Amino acid sequence: MDRFATIAKKQYSRYRELFFYGIIGGISAFLDFCVYTLLCKANVPYLIANVIGVHCGIICSFILNRHYNFKVKDKTKKRFFSFYMIGLAGLAISSLMLYLLVDNNHFNEIYSKIITIITVAIFQFCLNKLITFRK
């Protein structure tokens, strides 16, 4: 049983950050999606709704990841700037994807947002782990 516990502990520590990043990312993506959807339903152009929704998600994600996942409390301004810049890169990718999906391929703007959220989340996890929240 000790061997199993040791292996389980190693696996937990290996995937803990990814697991919690996924949960926090899900919360932040849900906030982004809800803001985006509400604004689209209120006839706000989808690219403007995307900018507002993504910014809400970025701020929520930084606060939750800083406190509960990566647990780094130092250099807050520097880390937020880095996180925000990565978030803006994600916003650029998301906006380009939305434009291509909605305007060029006539996909539904809500379903297109779901596709962009999944794609951008993977990109941002890798960059934030390597840059923003490195110890």
Side-chain angles (χ1 to χ4, degrees), residues 78-91:
K78 181 179 177 183
R79 291 183 192 279
F80 179 75
F81 180 77
S82 174
F83 192 86
Y84 186 70
M85 289 297 111
I86 292 168
L88 290 182
L91 172 61

Side-chain angles (χ1 to χ4, degrees), residues 17-32:
E17 287 178 347
L18 179 61
F19 176 74
F20 281 110
Y21 189 87
I23 291 173
I24 291 168
I27 292 166
S28 301
F30 182 71
L31 175 63
D32 172 6

Side-chain angles (χ1 to χ4, degrees), residues 8-127:
K9 187 175 180 178
K10 284 182 183 177
Q11 291 300 318
Y12 172 78
S13 62
R14 174 184 267 174
Y15 295 106
R16 181 198 164 286
E17 287 178 347
L18 179 61
F19 176 74
F20 281 110
Y21 189 87
I23 291 173
I24 291 168
I27 292 166
S28 301
F30 182 71
L31 175 63
D32 172 6
F33 182 75
C34 288
V35 169
Y36 173 84
T37 301
L38 289 171
L39 291 172
C40 284
K41 298 285 183 193
N43 295 319
V44 172
Y46 73 91
L47 289 174
I48 293 172
N50 187 52
V51 169
I52 296 167
V54 166
H55 276 84
C56 292
I58 289 169
I59 293 166
C60 175
S61 183
F62 177 78
I63 292 168
L64 294 177
N65 271 300
R66 179 175 171 261
H67 287 288
Y68 300 109
N69 188 14
F70 298 107
K71 299 179 182 177
V72 287
K73 308 285 192 219
D74 64 331
K75 305 175 190 169
T76 302
K77 290 178 186 176
K78 181 179 177 183
R79 291 183 192 279
F80 179 75
F81 180 77
S82 174
F83 192 86
Y84 186 70
M85 289 297 111
I86 292 168
L88 290 182
L91 172 61
I93 293 167
S94 173
S95 295
L96 177 62
M97 286 179 67
L98 280 173
Y99 174 76
L100 292 173
L101 290 169
V102 175
D103 283 356
N104 287 0
N105 293 304
H106 310 291
F107 283 25
N108 176 284
E109 60 194 19
I110 304 302
Y111 296 133
S112 297
K113 178 67 174 176
I114 294 169
I115 294 168
T116 68
I117 285 174
I118 293 166
T119 304
V120 170
I122 295 165
F123 165 77
Q124 288 178 320
F125 171 77
C126 295
L127 288 180

